[in-house]
Amino acid sequence: QVQVAESGGGLVQAGGSLRLSCVVSGDTFSVYRMGWFRQAPGKEREFVAAISWNVGSTYVPSSVKGRFTVSRDNAKNTLYLQMNSLKAEDTADYYCAASRGGNLYFIASYEYWGQGTQVTVSS
């Protein structure tokens, strides 16, 4: 059974940085395309970043472009999200997810999800 576990969340001041990690176990990590989503209180879950299985392509929305960087280490079964220049509006629970196919911007394309890690940015 595939398991996904995020870590690295916490409290940070506006303008600061955090790096989230996500470890996948129970299957071959490299066959999955991976994504990050976030959900703020009272809001819908939204796409934050994604990366192809071979690290050839990355995808980020305009809201975080230039501030967030997604990467992966297939040898360590680990996905990363480097978040710089954090803003109060980045406060949310961040989720890692694994996908075998489909549009990476869509929640429905992901089969496996972690429990989330909380990121709080104080202004």
Side-chain angles (χ1 to χ4, degrees), residues 31-33 98-104 106-111:
V31 305
Y32 291 98
R33 300 180 299 164
S99 170
R100 282 190 173 272
N103 190 316
L104 288 175
F106 296 159
I107 291 172
S109 296
Y110 294 82
E111 291 85 0

Side-chain angles (χ1 to χ4, degrees), residues 9-10 20 37-41 46 48 87-95 117-121:
L20 305 183
F37 288 77
R38 67 185 180 187
Q39 187 166 18
E46 64 174 354
V48 175
K87 306 175 182 180
E89 51 263 42
D90 294 319
T91 295
D93 291 327
Y94 282 71
Y95 297 88
T117 185
Q118 188 174 56
V119 172
T120 303
V121 183

Side-chain angles (χ1 to χ4, degrees), residues 52-66:
S52 62
W53 67 273
N54 62 352
V55 200
S57 299
T58 59
Y59 312 86
V60 292
S62 56
S63 58
V64 303
K65 193 171 186 178

Side-chain angles (χ1 to χ4, degrees), residues 37-98:
F37 288 77
R38 67 185 180 187
Q39 187 166 18
K43 295 188 176 182
E44 294 186 349
R45 192 169 295 189
E46 64 174 354
F47 172 76
V48 175
I51 188 168
S52 62
W53 67 273
N54 62 352
V55 200
S57 299
T58 59
Y59 312 86
V60 292
S62 56
S63 58
V64 303
K65 193 171 186 178
R67 301 189 299 121
F68 290 12
T69 302
V70 60
S71 61
R72 66 190 292 166
D73 185 337
N74 286 342
K76 295 182 178 180
N77 289 2
T78 303
L79 175 74
Y80 303 99
L81 183 67
Q82 178 66 43
M83 304 185 294
N84 299 327
S85 302
L86 283 162
K87 306 175 182 180
E89 51 263 42
D90 294 319
T91 295
D93 291 327
Y94 282 71
Y95 297 88
C96 170

